[in-house]
Amino acid sequence: MRELSGGIVDVGVDVGRVGMMRPSEDVQVYLHRAPIDMRTGRNGLAALVREGMQQDPFAPQALYVFIGRR
């Protein structure tokens, strides 16, 4: 295991030249399904997690996934 951006991740099996990373078992994954403008940056995404998703954006065992607009 290694630490990545404040969260713990398992390093998966190498597939070709690129390795896969999977969250460890105790990580909660939250998906924001509505597309968002990714130009909002990390502060905007943190505000979206805090206000829109009612979660702590800095929770150590949480992973937030967003879908970008084209």
Side-chain angles (χ1 to χ4, degrees):
M1 287 194 187
R2 67 179 171 173
E3 190 165 332
L4 178 69
S5 300
I8 303 296
V9 248
D10 286 334
V11 177
V13 180
D14 283 337
V15 179
R17 287 187 243 154
V18 180
M20 288 177 33
M21 293 185 343
R22 294 181 298 250
S24 64
E25 294 175 5
D26 55 341
V27 172
Q28 299 267 336
V29 179
Y30 298 94
L31 173 64
H32 187 273
R33 296 186 303 176
I36 60 166
D37 185 355
M38 297 302 274
R39 293 177 292 179
T40 59
R42 63 181 174 205
N43 291 336
L45 294 175
L48 180 62
V49 168
R50 185 174 38 255
E51 296 166 9
M53 299 173 74
Q54 303 297 312
Q55 298 291 327
D56 178 12
F58 303 106
Q61 298 301 323
L63 178 66
Y64 301 98
V65 180
F66 301 95
I67 299 171
R69 251 185 235 165
R70 285 188 170 241

